[in-house]
Amino acid sequence: MSYRAARLIVASGLALWGAAGVQAQTVVTPLFPGVTHIKRTEPYPQFQCPGCPAPTPNPRLARMNILLIDLWSPAVHFKLTPPGENLPAVAPGSTTPNWPVVPFEVVRQRTLDFLDTAHAQAAINVHFFAPFPVPGGSTQGAFAYVIGLAASRGKVYSGFESSPIQSYAIVANAPGLNVDKSNNASIVHRDPGSVDGMGILEGVELWNALAGSGQILTNGVKTIPEYTDATHPDALLTPGPVPPLGTLPLTYTRAGRHWYDLSNARTAIGVTQDGRTMVLFTVDGTNGGHGMQVGEVADLLKNDYGVWNALNLDGGGSTTMAVEDPVTHLRKLVNVPAENPPRLEATNFAVYSDAVDPVTTAKVDPSPNANGWNQAAVSVSLEATDLASGLTDTPTGWVDLLRYSLAGAQTGGETIVPGHSASFAVAPEGVTTVSYFATDAAGNEETARTLDVKIDGVPPVLSGLPSEGCTLWPANHKLQRVAVLGASDPVSGIARGSFQVTATSNEPMDPGDVVVTEDEHGGLVVQLRAERSGGNKSGRIYNLTITAQDVAGNEVTATANCVVPHDMGKGK
């Protein structure tokens, strides 16, 4: 099946809006394995709130972008914005009265920029955050404090909020959605005994976890939070002062305008009852449409997409969805954010479609010999490549980092190098085992590989050579043993067939005058014939040459002489 942009347009109804007819429609685009984009336009009746002016008869136009994510697809992976590093200590007070000074936790980033830098296929905005708006003249708008539970690939960096900022909208200890390493998605709740707010009641590992203002679908039931009052003493929201229509801050009471009943841009996330499908939802407001009430979002998620549990995420000017084009592979916004340029978000949630592990190759420079050995220090380079799966043109993926460690002659704990390449030196003699693997942007890890780097720069050692003044006497024409030679190399070992003895003489020799045999220990037993020519006053001089080579190619040569004297009386 091709996952290119084959489009299906389904007319889901017909409604009139103003003078021109507006046809409700749904456009379904399979983007990548496990990722389907739905672009949907629907008219909704105007909402009549208590004390509000009468609505116009024209319907509201909701322009929605929805991503259906198949959690059972082996290609699907996720990543939440990770915690920031070396951030300023605290955020200054906000222009909103009585907001506390809070620690920074993340670097703010637009959703499309996050999609680009994460090298993912789709992304939406997630968390409410502070300070917002940023105080006038402050240069710290690049950072944010995250409101609610947050974890990125196992790094839990923000806890549940017992007294959340914006309590008119955000529920205290609002439940979170956790997606574990195996893509099991579940709702998680704060452990009351957790001091830092990062502990949960459920026995699952927090991997990619996020939270919003509240849970709007709970086990198939719509659960829109209410304000506390005489008839709702246990409600989850705290009422605030009623502002004039169209002003900020957006705090509302039951007698005025309920925050969840606003027709506004919205972002939501939900999971179906069978746990197979995750639904990422946005609806535009202001620039791109007339928004929706949160209750309407909950109804649509449940009735049209089978969502069983859902969270309302940061909406309004934050609502953003971006995807990668399956044909051009360019990343772009698919909704119309309420702000231009789009708002810098505290966190974003990325979706990957990539089932292919990266592949790392290792190279030793200079290259080893045919036996795999070098004679001096080498440089080891690692280079990883990645191919994304599911598309006919298999576009290049992205390697996030390399990990390697050393054991043996040279040791070193795990080193993590961002990117697709790394290099390091190995110098000690012996065998150093390099273990290495790469991780791509989607989180795929290749199976660990190993490389043995072998270095031996010392030649073998010879032993048992004939002593100085080696003499064969009497000259009885018999073979006499003059040496038992040995060759050793503690690092790479002696190369097979390289340990040899050759002999020459100042007199003509018969083939049997020099006999070399191997003993049970691998040594060479050298026998020479006690023979000499009667007319040679200096006697016979045997010249022995002993050579050996180790597996690394280091050679050693030694020489020795043995004499058969003319006669012992003259010392010759």
Side-chain angles (χ1 to χ4, degrees):
M1 175 181 178
S2 172
Y3 283 88
R4 291 189 176 276
R7 302 182 120 190
L8 172 65
I9 300 178
V10 180
S12 60
L14 184 64
L16 295 179
W17 185 53
V22 176
Q23 183 177 1
Q25 65 177 20
T26 299
V27 179
V28 180
T29 306
L31 295 178
F32 304 97
V35 181
T36 299
H37 177 217
I38 299 174
K39 200 168 189 70
R40 180 170 174 174
T41 302
E42 293 285 348
Y44 280 85
Q46 293 287 350
F47 174 66
Q48 176 63 54
C49 65
C52 297
T56 64
N58 294 326
R60 291 174 291 127
L61 191 63
R63 300 185 187 276
M64 296 167 271
N65 282 276
I66 302 162
L67 292 174
L68 304 183
I69 313 300
D70 184 357
L71 297 175
W72 297 0
S73 168
V76 168
H77 306 270
F78 300 99
K79 182 182 181 180
L80 186 77
T81 295
E85 297 180 356
N86 303 317
L87 303 183
V90 295
S94 168
T95 53
T96 302
N98 302 319
W99 277 29
V101 175
V102 290
F104 287 124
E105 294 171 323
V106 293
V107 177
R108 293 174 63 183
Q109 195 173 21
R110 293 181 177 89
T111 304
L112 179 57
D113 294 338
F114 176 71
L115 183 64
D116 277 330
T117 57
H119 310 286
Q121 279 62 64
I124 61 167
N125 71 291
V126 179
H127 281 89
F128 293 79
F129 60 93
F132 185 81
V134 177
S138 171
T139 60
Q140 297 187 326
F143 314 110
Y145 171 79
V146 174
I147 301 176
L149 180 68
S152 178
R153 292 186 176 173
K155 296 180 180 179
V156 185
Y157 62 90
S158 179
F160 294 89
E161 308 287 339
S162 58
S163 299
I165 301 168
Q166 299 175 321
S167 60
Y168 60 86
I170 302 176
V171 171
N173 296 317
L177 176 68
N178 180 59
V179 186
D180 69 14
K181 290 182 181 180
S182 300
N183 283 355
N184 297 306
S186 61
I187 299 295
V188 292
H189 303 82
R190 178 174 181 164
D191 180 354
S194 173
V195 176
D196 61 6
M198 296 183 183
I200 59 173
L201 292 174
E202 294 74 14
V204 298
E205 179 188 11
L206 293 178
W207 190 247
N208 285 304
L210 54 89
S213 64
Q215 188 168 353
I216 60 175
L217 280 172
T218 305
N219 297 330
V221 177
K222 186 164 64 172
T223 50
I224 307 301
E226 289 283 356
Y227 291 122
T228 55
D229 59 17
T231 58
H232 299 81
D234 297 324
L236 301 177
L237 298 178
T238 302
V242 182
L245 295 178
T247 64
L248 292 175
L250 297 178
T251 51
Y252 303 94
T253 65
R254 184 178 305 282
R257 304 172 67 205
H258 195 300
W259 185 86
Y260 284 77
D261 285 341
L262 289 173
S263 297
N264 201 7
R266 302 289 184 184
T267 304
I269 186 170
V271 180
T272 56
Q273 185 177 8
D274 62 5
R276 175 163 188 167
T277 303
M278 175 184 288
V279 180
L280 307 182
F281 174 91
T282 64
V283 61
D284 292 339
T286 309
N287 294 333
H290 294 75
M292 293 172 67
Q293 303 163 37
V294 176
E296 293 171 335
V297 174
D299 287 336
L300 182 137
L301 293 177
K302 175 185 176 181
N303 297 331
D304 291 14
Y305 300 101
V307 172
W308 193 244
N309 289 293
L311 306 181
N312 180 66
L313 306 180
D314 192 10
S318 288
T319 291
T320 319
M321 179 181 288
V323 303
E324 178 184 340
D325 188 290
V327 177
T328 66
H329 306 302
L330 297 176
R331 297 176 175 93
K332 61 184 179 182
L333 295 176
V334 292
N335 77 315
V336 181
E339 296 182 5
N340 188 19
R343 181 179 295 173
L344 294 168
E345 303 299 335
T347 63
N348 295 284
F349 188 55
V351 182
Y352 295 85
S353 177
D354 182 358
V356 178
D357 294 342
V359 176
T360 306
T361 56
K363 181 181 179 181
V364 176
D365 186 28
S367 298
N369 67 10
N371 297 314
W373 285 84
N374 285 87
Q375 296 179 353
V378 300
S379 175
V380 178
S381 59
L382 304 176
E383 184 69 28
T385 57
D386 183 43
L387 290 178
S389 66
L391 302 176
T392 55
D393 55 356
T394 55
T396 301
W398 190 268
V399 177
D400 258 5
L401 53 88
L402 282 166
R403 301 174 190 262
Y404 68 87
S405 60
L406 309 178
Q410 182 170 324
T411 60
E414 184 177 72
T415 299
I416 301 176
V417 180
H420 58 87
S421 61
S423 62
F424 50 90
V426 176
E429 292 197 342
V431 180
T432 297
T433 299
V434 181
S435 299
Y436 59 94
F437 66 92
T439 303
D440 67 16
N444 296 302
E445 290 184 350
E446 70 176 313
T447 301
R449 303 170 184 268
T450 59
L451 169 71
D452 286 339
V453 179
K454 304 174 182 180
I455 299 176
D456 183 0
V458 178
V461 175
L462 298 176
S463 61
L465 274 70
S467 60
E468 185 177 355
C470 169
T471 302
L472 286 81
W473 190 260
N476 56 8
H477 313 292
K478 294 182 179 180
L479 289 172
Q480 296 185 24
R481 187 170 73 177
V482 297
V484 179
L485 303 174
S488 63
D489 189 277
V491 182
S492 62
I494 301 299
R496 183 181 296 275
S498 69
F499 185 23
Q500 297 179 351
V501 177
T502 58
T504 60
S505 174
N506 61 338
E507 293 182 350
M509 295 189 303
D510 293 329
D513 290 350
V514 179
V515 177
V516 179
T517 57
E518 184 174 334
D519 67 11
E520 66 273 17
H521 303 295
L524 298 181
V525 179
V526 181
Q527 298 178 83
L528 302 177
R529 191 173 300 280
E531 178 85 32
R532 46 111 174 104
S533 172
N536 184 357
K537 300 300 182 181
S538 61
R540 177 179 287 189
I541 302 173
Y542 288 101
N543 301 304
L544 302 179
T545 301
I546 304 97
T547 60
Q549 185 181 80
D550 63 22
V551 178
N554 301 294
E555 294 183 349
V556 62
T557 299
T559 60
N561 298 322
C562 286
V563 177
V564 182
H566 182 267
D567 63 79
M568 289 298 291
K570 297 180 180 179
K572 297 182 181 179

